[in-house]
Amino acid sequence: MGIATINPATGETLKTFEALTDEQLEAKVALAARTFEQYRPLPFTQKAQWWYKAADILEADRERFGQLMTLEMGKPLKAAIAEVQKCALVCRYYADNAPTFLADEIIETDASKSFIRYQPLGVILAVMPWNFPFWQVFRFAAPALMAGNVGLLKHASNVPQCALAIAEILHQAGFPEGAFQTLLIPANRIADLMADDRIRAATLTGSEAAGASLAAAAGKQIKKTVLELGGSDPYIVLESADLDMAVSTAVTARTINNGQSCIAAKRFIVAEAIADEFEQRLIEKFAALKVGDPMQLDTDIGPLATPDILSELDELVQENVQQGAKLRIGGQPLDRPGNYYPPTILTQIPPGASANEAEFFGPVALLFRVPNLDRAIEIANATPFGLGASAWTNDPQERDRLICEIEAGAVFINGMVKSDPRLPFGGIKRSGYGRELGCQGIREFVNIKTVWVK
Ligand code: NDP
């Protein structure tokens, strides 16, 4: 697939883009490296002022930016507009807090003075996915640029207009052109970029294959990476839980972004005693969701982003049905133009079926029944991934065991997993490494310099 805007609701190709030539790419990398030298010494107050302005631009034009996202990747417009607002939040968060997060830290030693100083690394490459086309970029760019780095964005090939719009927003906000640039290039040019001495580190959000490939290229050059990859988050509901809240949140947690979120709840692990009721209510709520044109404000579920995502999801569902899983609702692509897949529920998933391990990137819920907490934790951890986990209980002992024993980068009790600028975000196991957001996120792409003065 080339670099293009293809409306996932209709399949229509709306705009195609030429990839940068080698000369154009070289000019952008050179500009980034030159800009870093002038940009890094600027005071926090200047950088913050540009981020506050970027936040204002985002908010003022949130409908237009939201429509662009919906047009290119199909998320419901309401959610797209909310995403733009969240981007404004992360811009202001780091504008407010970066000076504190990166202030010198005095450490008492045998020196007359010893301290830690946080300094920028240089040009950072961000390889980003289409599922949250604005948010993923802003949550990288706000901390990275506040820290004094400059950014190069290689966005997913199906959201080129979002990529260009983001660079334009930052330029309008006042950042020098070389502080943040979009590279319209295919993924097969990334390894060469990682070999370029001027690029000091990289971050990637996307599939395991893409992450492994970027990390291998970076590893050859001893360059740091942050990887935020897939997830198959558990959503555990125990007997003492508030069932109304657990069921209604389950629907949002699974179907958010048309089901295409790394931290979506994917495996619902429910105590036997309440499993029949949970299952019945989930089926009713899935059946009531409005699937349709993502530009309509009352649509709950729009099309999947690409025909490939649709066919991969459908193949996984069919494979598991053949392996013995029971289909309770949905389970076939909708017979209409666009990449539409209905809300789907699979139950009675046999041991050994691929649903125990695979990530379902679409609105498909997998239900597992468990006799007790031990088994719930065992199933929750029986996955190659370790991104987030949500667990529902009103028993303090159960809560404490879940917090302690779940293998994931985040555990949310009685709530759905979500990202928040104030909290670190990232995974363990095959979900990746490193953290975004919070004070931890801004310290990923800095030189943590030890200073010791006699
Ligand atoms: P990819 O991982 O292929 O795409 C994400 C980004 O990585 C894009 O910018 C892509 O560029 C780039 N990329 C692709 N291959 C490489 C590579 N070898 N080296 C470096 N960068 C690369 O995701 P897909 O869109 O293909 O989705 C496939 C699956 O990935 C989904 O079904 C889902 O499981 C997972 N995924 C997870 C996401 C998350 O939030 N964790 C987000 C998106 C996908 P280009 O578009 O040009 O190929």
Side-chain angles (χ1 to χ4, degrees):
M1 190 189 74
I3 302 170
T5 301
I6 302 170
N7 185 350
T10 61
E12 193 188 350
T13 300
L14 301 173
K15 205 162 177 177
T16 57
F17 293 80
E18 289 295 321
L20 296 179
T21 63
D22 288 345
E23 293 71 33
Q24 288 168 326
L25 183 57
E26 164 55 31
K28 285 187 182 264
V29 176
L31 177 62
R34 275 201 312 279
T35 304
F36 173 62
E37 297 306 329
Q38 296 136 24
Y39 178 76
R40 67 180 293 182
L42 297 177
F44 282 128
T45 46
Q46 173 63 82
K47 293 166 182 145
Q49 193 189 322
W50 290 331
W51 279 116
Y52 291 129
K53 180 79 174 123
D56 292 345
I57 295 171
L58 283 162
E59 278 182 345
D61 235 351
R62 56 184 178 270
E63 264 97 19
R64 183 168 70 85
F65 297 134
Q67 281 164 3
L68 195 53
M69 278 190 254
T70 298
L71 183 73
E72 291 200 301
M73 53 67 66
K75 74 173 63 203
L77 182 58
K78 207 167 29 172
I81 294 170
E83 182 172 333
V84 180
Q85 301 255 207
K86 193 168 171 181
C87 293
L89 197 68
V90 82
C91 297
R92 294 190 180 116
Y93 174 75
Y94 279 109
D96 288 344
N97 291 294
T100 312
F101 294 155
L102 300 179
D104 286 353
E105 266 178 56
I106 303 284
I107 310 278
E108 298 295 339
T109 67
D110 57 333
S112 54
K113 186 177 186 186
S114 46
F115 61 96
I116 301 166
R117 174 157 296 170
Y118 298 100
Q119 293 184 312
L121 293 182
V123 183
I124 314 293
L125 176 68
V127 182
M128 290 290 141
W130 44 264
N131 57 342
F132 293 91
F134 268 54
W135 169 245
Q136 310 271 17
V137 177
F138 278 91
R139 82 174 175 189
F140 152 72
L145 270 62
M146 274 309 293
N149 297 298
V150 302
L152 288 174
L153 168 66
K154 184 278 178 266
H155 216 326
S157 293
N158 55 330
V159 289
Q161 296 194 61
C162 288
L164 293 168
I166 293 168
E168 182 54 28
I169 290 166
L170 297 197
H171 192 46
Q172 269 180 24
F175 285 99
E177 193 192 338
F180 185 89
Q181 299 173 84
T182 282
L183 310 176
L184 292 184
I185 52 169
N188 63 13
R189 290 174 63 189
I190 291 175
D192 283 351
L193 278 178
M194 287 318 299
D196 189 311
D197 282 343
R198 294 166 294 183
I199 292 176
R200 294 293 157 82
T203 179
L204 180 142
T205 300
S207 62
E208 284 177 78
S213 158
L214 178 95
K220 272 193 202 155
Q221 311 296 334
I222 329 286
K223 287 181 185 172
K224 177 160 187 185
T225 50
V226 167
L227 298 181
E228 203 268 275
L229 310 177
S232 186
D233 283 8
Y235 187 102
I236 300 170
V237 188
L238 299 173
E239 221 178 315
S240 66
D242 174 341
L243 199 57
D244 282 347
M245 279 301 291
V247 176
S248 55
T249 309
V251 178
T252 313
R254 176 56 285 203
T255 60
I256 189 163
N257 213 36
N258 306 337
Q260 305 159 114
S261 169
C262 48
I263 48 164
K266 290 169 188 144
R267 296 174 300 133
F268 295 83
I269 301 166
V270 185
E272 190 67 65
I274 50 168
D276 280 342
E277 196 174 350
F278 182 90
E279 184 176 318
Q280 197 47 45
R281 291 214 225 162
L282 196 68
I283 292 169
E284 282 161 18
K285 287 190 183 288
F286 267 34
L289 291 171
K290 188 165 175 223
V291 182
D293 179 359
M295 287 292 179
Q296 300 300 320
L297 283 172
D298 61 345
T299 292
D300 296 308
I301 299 193
L304 299 175
T306 66
D308 282 353
I309 298 284
L310 175 76
S311 58
E312 279 163 30
L313 182 71
D314 190 42
E315 271 166 35
L316 257 182
V317 170
Q318 304 319 326
E319 180 180 284
N320 278 277
V321 170
Q322 272 163 25
Q323 288 168 340
K326 267 228 156 26
L327 190 60
R328 301 290 277 121
I329 183 171
Q332 286 291 333
L334 297 187
D335 185 16
R336 57 181 284 181
N339 316 319
Y340 286 96
Y341 206 83
T344 296
I345 297 176
L346 289 175
T347 62
Q348 298 177 38
I349 296 150
S354 60
N356 293 289
E357 302 241 310
E359 178 179 28
F360 284 64
F361 222 57
V364 179
L366 312 171
L367 257 59
F368 299 82
R369 291 171 181 237
V370 285
N372 53 41
L373 180 61
D374 285 339
R375 184 72 183 132
I377 293 173
E378 193 183 331
I379 293 186
N381 289 341
T383 162
F385 298 108
L387 195 52
S390 169
W392 295 73
T393 174
N394 282 309
D395 177 327
Q397 277 172 345
E398 286 178 348
R399 182 196 62 208
D400 291 348
R401 276 197 62 196
L402 289 157
I403 293 169
C404 185
E405 294 176 39
I406 296 277
E407 296 168 1
V411 177
F412 281 60
I413 303 291
N414 298 334
M416 65 182 265
V417 180
K418 58 181 189 224
S419 61
D420 179 322
R422 296 165 294 187
L423 293 169
F425 183 94
I428 58 168
K429 296 160 76 176
R430 294 187 76 89
S431 292
Y433 51 74
R435 291 293 178 268
E436 298 188 276
L437 301 175
C439 129
Q440 291 76 10
I442 199 169
R443 291 186 182 166
E444 288 286 3
F445 295 118
V446 290
N447 174 16
I448 301 174
K449 187 184 268 180
T450 297
V451 183
W452 190 98
V453 183
K454 186 68 191 162

